[in-house]
């Protein structure tokens, strides 16, 4: 699936249904030829498709030629005036580069990306090394493809082959080119409690740029973009999705150049970034996953979902049944003691809940969000008998015990801060910006990471804990580390994320039986980097069953539903004040890793009975959530309904869940078409008592139920 033709110096990479072709042109530059649906490696492609965009030897020093070439990695200051992919600043300040092909190798497997999340296994990799003719830099571009996937993984490694150091002012993960710009640009934007809202705008000339400069992928913009053709729908038309496997400050851009073609690239955000590479050292950029789909956004999402489940998320966890948790945050906030927790546990167990997760407030001096972070020892005044007593109460009730941490943070009012004020990121003498009254620990320092590893390990070893919720509630400001030299302060944001990955790697390896759930004030770090360590992430602090239809829809564009932690919470909803009936809340939370976020001792008997049935029902569809294919049927941003469907890989089972938002008098009859079924299999839609062929359900469709405001429906469909 990766070929090299030495005659035309062409590389052809083939995935399941796409081809990616590039070649070394006459002057030795690596340029893109084609990225799209599978094609044959016909020789004419390099002669004709690259025609007019491929410089001849005489053109080398003509800037107007360089500016047209669809390079695979953009160089700075030598005639290509589009945004470069890397900027290499030498000792005297000179930073122009020209990248020429040096060598390549093709091998089985994936490249090593030490210390960073990466595609784990299989595949074939092409590594093309380009040499900068003006500096001692060699840039290796890695491309990994798999026979059974439409995802292509890329990154770049920049090596200093000289003796003197140079500084990278920018080092993107990938760059590619498309011959036209007739696409719209989709991103997932948002804010706290309203994350990953799809927004699509046309591309024009100039650059569309999305980014985060927060040292976290953020609530505001996800490291995902898609270029979509005007006719692209859920099930038809072309699109290319790009998702960075990275959790820090990022950038993704689409730049339409003067000849109408498109440069797309991205990686670590260059704002505030610089990285000194000593002679002989290399800088490794995070991986980016590119997905080509000829069959709409739905196919792209299913490819990303399979990619994450098969190749990013820890294999032991990706397909393992997840516990159904009860989390006490919205049930108690900081206001709890041992007896209150016991009453939650006692009330939850008979309902079929597997695990009690004790949220914020169990440690140090932590009765509000103004103090205590960093002091990871149990507050025995609040919890007589310590965590062991809570774990024991869970055990007696046949439940497991989980615990909340916010390992990357420190409160100024904490013993840790009093002992080590320098552990916090920031510049002494400069009043820090406080986010949620807290500061961020300096994870660029190994002694800080070691300390947190030790104290969190001690707690995890102190009693039977099978689940960790890893929160992170603020972004970095006053970027300054007491331990970095002046010239290396620009490395802080990336080094911080490397420190987070290091801690996550060490804790998940030391406690392989513990399920770690990611959380960042809800969905503030929902990205492929975190999924490498945490198979599921608390999707959003907004648990309203209407808002969640939109948040989960957006999130599913590039992440598997099994990665979305979705809880039923109490009403009126704490974020929106809306009241939605209990079963609808359960239905919307069933389209992910389900759980509860309330005080079960306060539920009435009818609600308790509903929890029991919801859990029994969820267990029947749990495999579909873990392994199924998602089809988004009715878009909540557009219609008065929301509807999604999960279909098993063998197409024998499906689960369809939806919600009607507003009741409309004398509403029209509306049919909607199912997707993903086998046209020639007969299915039974259990709740409707209908038996029909897949082709009938997919072409004639089913009638949408007329339901009161914000009411859900869930149907089970099985081959008969
Ligand atoms: C933010 C999280 O998203 C919530 O679920 C909860 O854990 C709080 N932090 C606790 O402080």
């Amino acid at each position: 699936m990766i070929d090299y033709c030495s005659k035309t110096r062409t590389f052809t990479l083939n995935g399941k249904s796409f081809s990616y072709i590039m070649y070394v042109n006459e002057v030795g530059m690596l340029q893109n030829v084609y990225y799209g649906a599978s094609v044959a490696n016909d020789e004419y492609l390099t002669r004709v498709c690259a025609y007019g965009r491929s410089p001849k030897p005489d053109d080398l020093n003509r800037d107007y030629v360089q500016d047209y070439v669809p390079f695979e990695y953009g160089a700075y200051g030598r005639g290509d005036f589009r945004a470069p992919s890397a900027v290499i600043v030498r000792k005297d300040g000179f930073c122009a580069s020209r990248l020429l092909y040096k060598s390549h190798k093709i091998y089985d497997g994936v490249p090593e990306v030490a210390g960073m999340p990466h595609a784990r296994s299989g595949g074939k990799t092409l590594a093309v090394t380009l040499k900068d003719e003006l500096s001692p830099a060699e840039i290796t571009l890695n491309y990994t493809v798999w026979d059974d996937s439409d995802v292509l993984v890329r990154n770049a490694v920049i090596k200093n082959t000289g003796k003197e150091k140079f500084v990278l002012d920018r080092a993107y993960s990938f760059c590619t080119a498309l011959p036209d710009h007739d696409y719209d640009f989709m991103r997932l934007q948002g804010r706290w409690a309203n994350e990953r809202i799809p927004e699509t705008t046309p591309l024009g000339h100039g650059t569309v740029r999305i980014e985060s400069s927060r040292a976290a992928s953020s609530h505001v913009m996800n490291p995902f973009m898609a270029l979509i053709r005007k006719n692209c729908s859920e099930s038809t038309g072309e699109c290319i999705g790009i998702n960075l496997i990275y959790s820090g400050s990022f950038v993704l851009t689409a730049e339409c150049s003067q000849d109408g073609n498109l440069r797309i690239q991205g990686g670590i955000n260059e704002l505030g970034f610089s990285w000194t590479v000593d002679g002989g050292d290399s800088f490794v950029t995070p991986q980016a996953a590119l997905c080509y789909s000829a069959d709409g956004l739905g196919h792209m999402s299913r490819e990303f979902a399979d990619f994450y489940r098969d190749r990013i998320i820890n294999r032991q966890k990706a397909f393992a049944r997840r516990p159904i948790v009860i989390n006490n945050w919205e049930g108690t906030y900081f206001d709890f003691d041992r007896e209150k927790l016991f009453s939650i546990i006692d009330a939850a167990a008979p309902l079929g809940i597997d695990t009690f997760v004790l949220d914020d407030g169990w440690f140090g001096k932590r009765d509000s969000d103004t103090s205590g972070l960093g002091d990871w020892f149990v507050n025995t005044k609040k919890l007589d008998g310590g965590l062991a007593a809570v774990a024991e109460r869970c055990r007696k009730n046949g439940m497991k015990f989980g615990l909340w941490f916010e390992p990357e943070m420190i409160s100024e009012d904490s013993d840790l801060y009093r002992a080590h004020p320098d552990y916090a990121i920031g510049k002494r003498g400069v009043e820090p910006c406080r986010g949620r009254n807290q500061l961020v620990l300096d994870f660029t320092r190994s002694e800080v990471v070691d300390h947190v590893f030790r104290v969190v390990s001690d707690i995890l070893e102190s009693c039977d804990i099978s689940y960790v919720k890893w929160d992170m509630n603020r972004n970095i400001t006053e970027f300054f580390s007491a331990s970095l030299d002046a010239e290396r302060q620009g490395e802080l944001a990336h080094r911080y994320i490397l420190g987070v990955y290091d801690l996550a790697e060490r804790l998940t390896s030391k406690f392989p039986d513990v399920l770690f759930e990611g959380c960042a004030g809800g969905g503030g770090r929902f990205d492929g980097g975190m999924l490498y360590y945490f198979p599921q992430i608390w999707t959003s602090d907004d648990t309203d069953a209407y808002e969640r239809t939109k948040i989960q829809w957006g999130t599913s564009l590039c992440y598997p539903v099994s990665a979305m932690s979705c809880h039923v919470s109490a009403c009126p909803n704490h974020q929106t004040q809306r009241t939605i009936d209990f079963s609808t809340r359960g239905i919307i939370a069933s389209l992910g890793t389900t759980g509860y976020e309330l005080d079960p001792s306060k539920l009435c008997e009818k609600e308790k009975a509903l929890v029991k049935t919801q859990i029994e029902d969820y267990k029947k569809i749990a495999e579909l959530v873990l392994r199924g294919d998602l089809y988004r049927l009715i878009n909540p941003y557009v219609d008065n309904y929301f509807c999604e469907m999960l279909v098993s890989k063998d197409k024998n089972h499906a689960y369809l869940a939806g919600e009607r938002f507003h009741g409309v008098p004398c509403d029209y009859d509306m049919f909607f078409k199912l997707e993903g079924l086998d046209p020639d299999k007969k299915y039974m839609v259990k709740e409707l008592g209908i038996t029909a062929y897949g082709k009938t359900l997919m072409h004639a469709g089913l009638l949408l139920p007329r339901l009161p405001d914000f009411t859900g429906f869930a149907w089970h469909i099985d081959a008969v």
Side-chain angles (χ1 to χ4, degrees):
M1 48 191 177
I2 299 183
D3 284 328
Y4 174 64
C5 168
S6 52
K7 188 171 148 218
T8 55
R9 298 207 288 178
T10 305
F11 301 100
T12 304
L13 292 82
N14 285 311
K16 183 170 64 177
S17 47
F18 77 91
S19 301
Y20 190 99
I21 305 178
M22 55 201 157
Y23 88 124
V24 180
N25 64 26
E26 234 179 284
V27 296
M29 293 160 149
L30 184 68
Q31 64 174 76
N32 191 277
V33 174
Y34 176 82
Y35 181 26
S38 298
V39 291
N41 181 10
D42 291 305
E43 216 185 296
Y44 96 95
L45 277 171
T46 42
R47 282 189 293 108
V48 180
C49 287
Y51 179 78
R53 298 192 281 139
S54 177
K56 307 283 169 254
D58 282 356
D59 297 330
L60 251 188
N61 292 326
R62 296 201 175 102
D63 63 0
Y64 61 87
V65 176
Q66 310 298 321
D67 209 26
Y68 288 80
V69 183
F71 290 120
E72 279 294 294
Y73 205 69
Y76 178 66
R78 199 103 164 110
D80 177 356
F81 293 104
R82 293 161 294 181
S85 313
V87 178
I88 302 161
V89 189
R90 273 82 83 189
K91 199 176 162 196
D92 60 1
F94 188 54
C95 41
S97 291
R98 177 181 284 151
L99 303 176
L100 298 175
Y101 169 83
K102 182 185 169 209
S103 61
H104 75 269
K105 64 177 179 185
I106 296 170
Y107 58 92
D108 288 333
V110 290
E112 260 295 295
V113 187
M116 266 189 291
H118 56 273
R120 288 180 194 265
S121 59
K124 226 177 175 77
T125 298
L126 164 70
V128 188
T129 299
L130 309 176
K131 167 90 190 84
D132 183 0
E133 66 170 11
L134 297 175
S135 81
E138 282 183 8
I139 302 184
T140 298
L141 306 178
N142 292 310
Y143 302 77
T144 304
V145 290
W146 293 263
D147 278 339
D148 61 351
S149 173
D150 281 333
V151 171
L152 159 71
V153 167
R154 292 194 50 181
N155 83 326
V157 178
I158 303 175
K159 180 168 188 187
N160 183 345
T161 55
K163 289 205 166 62
E164 276 188 354
K165 61 189 174 193
F166 59 61
V167 175
L168 295 172
D169 269 359
R170 174 184 302 207
Y172 285 171
S173 297
F174 78 100
C175 167
T176 193
L178 297 169
D180 71 82
H181 64 282
D182 194 18
Y183 295 93
D184 286 337
F185 185 108
M186 176 190 259
R187 78 280 272 156
L188 298 175
Q189 55 82 33
R191 54 193 180 273
W192 172 77
N194 201 5
E195 298 90 349
R196 292 170 300 285
I197 307 302
E199 183 178 78
T200 303
T201 52
L203 282 177
H205 283 81
T207 303
V208 178
R209 176 184 169 100
I210 57 166
E211 64 188 310
S212 160
S213 56
R214 297 162 181 264
S217 48
S218 89
H219 298 273
V220 179
M221 196 64 77
N222 198 262
F224 164 80
M225 65 177 257
L227 294 169
I228 61 182
R229 292 291 189 194
K230 309 276 178 203
N231 64 353
C232 177
S233 69
E234 275 295 321
S235 51
T236 57
E238 279 189 313
C239 61
I240 294 173
I242 299 169
N243 199 198
L244 294 172
I245 305 169
Y246 188 58
S247 314
S249 299
F250 74 90
V251 60
L252 285 167
T253 65
E255 178 180 8
C256 173
S257 65
Q258 50 179 317
D259 67 344
N261 69 28
L262 206 58
R263 166 171 289 182
I264 46 182
Q265 57 180 345
I268 295 173
N269 195 333
E270 67 277 13
L271 180 62
F273 168 87
S274 69
W275 194 278
T276 301
V277 187
D278 289 324
D281 281 358
S282 295
F283 180 72
V284 182
T285 65
Q287 289 187 334
L290 285 70
C291 177
Y292 170 80
S293 165
D295 300 312
L297 291 164
H299 178 74
M300 175 197 76
S301 303
R302 289 185 288 280
E303 287 298 309
F304 272 129
D306 282 342
F307 170 71
Y308 278 113
R309 291 182 297 199
D310 293 338
R311 305 203 156 105
I312 296 287
I313 299 173
N314 176 340
R315 289 292 288 177
Q316 267 74 55
K317 296 279 189 282
F319 298 106
R321 283 283 179 106
R322 312 287 166 76
I324 292 167
V325 306
I326 175 96
N327 177 301
N328 71 306
W329 178 242
E330 288 198 10
T332 66
Y333 294 104
F334 291 107
D335 181 20
F336 61 82
D337 57 17
R338 190 176 94 148
E339 299 318 311
K340 211 179 217 176
L341 299 185
F342 283 4
S343 77
I344 291 177
I345 296 164
D346 296 349
L351 308 183
I353 289 173
D354 303 315
T355 301
F356 166 65
V357 178
L358 173 53
D359 211 281
D360 195 354
W362 59 266
F363 52 90
K365 183 183 130 200
R366 183 75 173 169
D367 295 318
S368 72
D369 62 14
T370 55
S371 61
L373 292 172
D375 294 343
W376 301 113
F377 44 85
V378 64
N379 179 345
T380 42
K381 276 197 206 116
K382 243 184 189 174
L383 295 179
D384 189 16
L387 293 173
V390 186
E392 177 55 17
R393 189 67 164 214
C394 289
R395 197 197 57 77
K396 272 199 184 136
N397 275 286
M399 284 167 70
K400 294 195 164 160
F401 177 44
L403 199 58
W404 179 98
F405 288 92
E406 197 176 358
E408 300 155 61
M409 296 295 150
I410 181 165
S411 305
E412 286 155 285
D413 184 1
S414 68
D415 291 351
L416 183 66
Y417 189 81
R418 281 181 282 276
H420 299 285
D422 59 308
Y423 274 17
I425 285 174
K427 181 101 177 97
R428 299 305 142 229
V430 174
E431 174 81 8
C433 286
R434 293 176 184 86
R436 211 192 186 205
N437 310 302
Q438 64 202 46
L439 304 179
V440 183
L441 281 171
D442 187 351
F443 269 30
T444 70
R445 295 170 65 174
S446 56
E447 68 272 33
V448 176
V449 177
D450 289 347
H451 167 83
V452 179
F453 174 67
R454 232 177 7 254
V455 290
V456 173
S457 293
D458 287 350
I459 290 288
L460 295 183
E461 277 163 348
S462 70
C463 60
D464 201 359
I465 295 172
S466 65
Y467 188 104
V468 164
K469 176 176 172 187
W470 180 315
D471 206 348
M472 193 286 290
N473 281 295
R474 68 154 291 176
N475 297 138
I476 298 181
T477 53
E478 298 87 29
F479 287 82
F480 191 83
S481 165
S483 71
L484 290 174
D485 294 341
E487 68 171 19
R488 290 196 181 266
Q489 290 294 337
E491 300 178 9
L492 188 148
H494 182 54
R495 284 190 185 277
Y496 170 79
I497 286 295
L498 293 179
V500 173
Y501 290 152
D502 179 34
L503 182 65
E505 177 66 39
R506 287 159 70 183
L507 285 171
T508 51
S509 310
K510 181 165 180 188
F511 300 97
D513 298 331
V514 173
L515 177 69
F516 284 76
E517 173 177 277
C519 172
R525 214 164 50 183
F526 202 122
D527 56 64
M530 286 292 125
L531 286 176
Y532 185 83
Y533 308 99
F534 312 146
Q536 61 189 55
I537 297 175
W538 179 228
T539 313
S540 175
D541 273 349
D542 188 345
T543 49
D544 173 87
Y546 165 58
E547 295 288 318
R548 270 298 185 113
T549 63
K550 298 179 171 186
I551 294 169
Q552 291 171 203
W553 177 283
T555 307
S556 76
L557 276 155
C558 57
Y559 304 107
V561 289
S562 59
M564 289 186 227
S565 189
C566 304
H567 291 178
V568 174
S569 63
C571 274
N573 181 272
H574 293 198
Q575 287 74 35
T576 62
Q577 306 308 313
R578 189 181 286 116
T579 294
I580 292 185
D581 75 82
F582 206 92
S583 355
T584 304
R585 282 177 260 159
I587 288 170
I588 299 309
S590 72
L591 287 164
T593 295
T594 205
Y596 293 82
E597 183 95 10
L598 40 72
D599 182 345
S601 66
K602 293 190 178 143
L603 294 176
C604 66
E605 288 312 311
K606 191 176 155 220
E607 288 169 330
K608 283 184 182 163
L610 273 171
V611 175
K612 270 191 181 170
T613 354
Q614 281 171 352
I615 293 177
E616 280 159 21
D617 287 349
Y618 185 80
K619 287 187 172 157
K620 292 183 201 141
I621 61 145
E623 288 301 311
L624 282 172
V625 172
L626 285 173
R627 295 169 195 271
D629 283 329
L630 178 76
Y631 291 84
R632 287 180 297 262
L633 302 185
I634 310 180
N635 185 338
Y637 293 96
V638 176
D639 290 304
N640 189 21
Y641 281 87
F642 154 82
C643 187
E644 288 182 352
M645 188 175 163
L646 289 163
V647 182
S648 63
K649 294 275 180 199
D650 64 7
K651 298 192 180 292
N652 282 335
H653 306 285
Y655 172 65
L656 183 149
E659 182 178 334
R660 191 194 205 207
F661 302 138
H662 306 290
V664 180
C666 308
D667 206 356
Y668 306 139
D669 279 345
M670 280 191 287
F671 288 89
F672 71 112
K673 296 173 180 178
L674 272 48
E675 286 185 45
L677 300 175
D678 182 334
D680 300 320
K681 274 186 185 161
K682 223 173 196 183
Y683 294 92
M684 166 89 166
V685 186
K686 194 174 133 211
E687 289 73 9
L688 304 182
I690 289 175
T691 306
Y693 277 101
K695 55 188 156 206
T696 314
L697 295 169
M698 292 195 290
H699 297 307
L702 288 170
L703 199 56
L704 275 170
R706 289 186 177 151
L707 297 165
D709 285 8
F710 302 112
T711 303
F713 53 102
W715 300 337
H716 298 78
I717 302 164
D718 295 296
V720 288

